[in-house]
Amino acid sequence: MNATAMASASDSKRADVKSIEHLSYSSLTTYAQCPRKFYYRYIQHAEPEFIPAALAFGGAIHRVAELIHHACLEGQLLPELESLMERFDEAWRLSTAGGIPISYARLDDERSLRALAERMLSAYREHVFAMSQHRTCQVLAIEHVEQFHFLKSLPPLEMRVDLVELAPNGDLIISDLKTSRSRWNEIKLREAIPQLVLYSIGLTPLFRAMKAERIMARFIVITKAKSPLIQELNFYLNQSDVDKVKRQVNEVWHGIQQQVYIQRPGWPCAQCPYKTRCLG
């Protein structure tokens, strides 16, 4: 490689890193799972070949959950299931309105997913109602979006927190809603903890402003079953969790800075929206 080509490659590398205005938990995990997918999505901003139905479905469920949480915030009765399904249909249309085809898993289609959503939202509505009978938390924020600085060497991190509450015992509760094929076990929980570690750090100013006692992180899991179950998995953070996340984020950022965008062929490729571009 001649000097001109080397300078061009160096400029390209700097441009790639500088093009990243912020990172997110999703982008960090994308890089950890497949650096090439990260490159296509966050550096090249390539148009996906399709939208995985599970992604559109999860997004629509989140939009409906907002409706339930807002009713709690405003002290109103929870919306009826019919209203929730109208919101789901609207969210589904928006997620599929860009002309990019939806890729369904085997045995799934739009009709079966809508029936599944109805079961899941009915179960979640009943769960929230039951919890409200004996748990009086103050809702502080719904779908809270904010950027914060985690490490000096990194661009800002952007978080999107589904629900933030203040409990009567002084706990600041940070909740993230998940949809899952099956119940979460301890291994799945440990894998997901870094997300709420980052969010907890980002919400430290709110924690201090509210004079809260502790931060409690919570995953709310709705299973995609014939009879959906709701899990609430609560945990308190410790310093070892924070230290571990710092190491992981540093490793990911180092790889991005070095433009290490290798392929990671495997079973996730089947539902990767860049698979043809990547694998040919």
Side-chain angles (χ1 to χ4, degrees), residues 8-135:
S8 176
S10 178
D11 289 344
S12 174
K13 180 183 291 188
R14 287 195 294 269
D16 282 352
V17 173
K18 287 182 179 180
S19 70
I20 301 176
E21 296 180 354
H22 67 269
L23 294 168
S24 65
Y25 178 75
S26 177
S27 66
L28 293 170
T29 54
T30 296
Y31 184 88
Q33 292 162 2
C34 181
R36 186 67 61 85
K37 182 179 180 181
F38 174 92
Y39 172 74
Y40 290 139
R41 181 173 178 182
Y42 296 101
I43 301 297
Q44 215 177 51
H45 302 290
E47 183 174 282
E49 299 158 20
F50 57 83
I51 298 173
L55 182 63
F57 181 84
I61 292 291
H62 271 76
R63 299 292 79 75
V64 182
E66 285 182 49
L67 199 63
I68 295 174
H69 298 155
H70 273 292
C72 296
L73 172 64
E74 296 166 3
Q76 298 177 351
L77 295 176
L78 299 184
E80 296 297 330
L81 183 58
E82 182 179 355
S83 297
L84 299 181
M85 290 309 297
E86 288 176 358
R87 179 67 169 262
F88 176 85
D89 292 337
E90 178 187 1
W92 180 265
R93 283 194 298 270
L94 287 174
S95 66
T96 59
I100 301 174
I102 298 291
S103 175
Y104 293 94
R106 190 171 64 89
L107 303 180
D108 278 343
D109 57 25
E110 185 174 344
R111 186 174 179 178
S112 67
L113 288 181
R114 189 181 190 279
L116 174 60
E118 188 168 14
R119 297 196 302 272
M120 292 172 67
L121 292 170
S122 176
Y124 187 58
R125 181 185 182 278
E126 292 176 8
H127 172 80
V128 172
F129 177 78
M131 292 297 99
S132 68
Q133 301 305 298
H134 61 82
R135 190 165 66 195

Side-chain angles (χ1 to χ4, degrees), residues 211-269:
K211 298 181 179 179
E213 296 293 329
R214 298 177 298 179
I215 292 180
M216 186 176 82
R218 170 183 292 158
F219 285 108
I220 305 172
V221 182
I222 312 176
T223 63
K224 300 176 180 179
K226 187 174 182 180
S227 298
L229 299 173
I230 313 297
Q231 287 179 283
E232 285 195 2
L233 305 173
N234 305 324
F235 59 95
Y236 291 98
L237 307 180
N238 56 54
Q239 190 58 45
S240 66
D241 290 326
V242 176
D243 293 340
K244 182 178 179 180
V245 169
K246 285 182 178 179
R247 289 195 300 271
Q248 292 172 335
V249 172
N250 260 323
E251 289 172 1
V252 167
W253 180 236
H254 179 73
I256 294 170
Q257 286 181 306
Q258 297 302 311
Q259 282 196 295
V260 181
Y261 301 133
I262 61 173
Q263 290 177 322
R264 287 268 176 82
W267 64 265
C269 295

Side-chain angles (χ1 to χ4, degrees), residues 105-220:
R106 190 171 64 89
L107 303 180
D108 278 343
D109 57 25
E110 185 174 344
R111 186 174 179 178
S112 67
L113 288 181
R114 189 181 190 279
L116 174 60
E118 188 168 14
R119 297 196 302 272
M120 292 172 67
L121 292 170
S122 176
Y124 187 58
R125 181 185 182 278
E126 292 176 8
H127 172 80
V128 172
F129 177 78
M131 292 297 99
S132 68
Q133 301 305 298
H134 61 82
R135 190 165 66 195
T136 54
C137 294
Q138 178 187 356
V139 177
L140 301 179
I142 300 166
E143 287 296 316
H144 177 72
V145 181
E146 184 180 347
Q147 291 187 5
F148 66 99
H149 290 280
F150 178 51
L151 298 172
K152 289 182 179 180
S153 60
L154 264 70
L157 286 179
E158 183 172 281
M159 59 180 172
R160 181 180 293 272
V161 188
D162 292 334
L163 185 64
V164 184
E165 302 169 281
L166 185 65
N169 66 354
D171 284 351
L172 185 71
I173 305 174
I174 304 170
S175 297
D176 191 76
L177 184 68
K178 302 290 188 184
T179 60
S180 174
R181 285 284 179 188
S182 58
R183 291 173 60 92
W184 277 22
N185 55 24
E186 183 66 23
I187 295 174
K188 182 64 177 176
L189 174 61
R190 296 305 305 178
E191 288 176 353
I193 280 177
Q195 179 180 7
L196 292 189
V197 171
L198 288 174
Y199 291 0
S200 298
I201 294 170
L203 288 173
T204 299
L206 176 63
F207 170 79
R208 291 171 178 162
M210 299 304 299
K211 298 181 179 179
E213 296 293 329
R214 298 177 298 179
I215 292 180
M216 186 176 82
R218 170 183 292 158
F219 285 108
I220 305 172

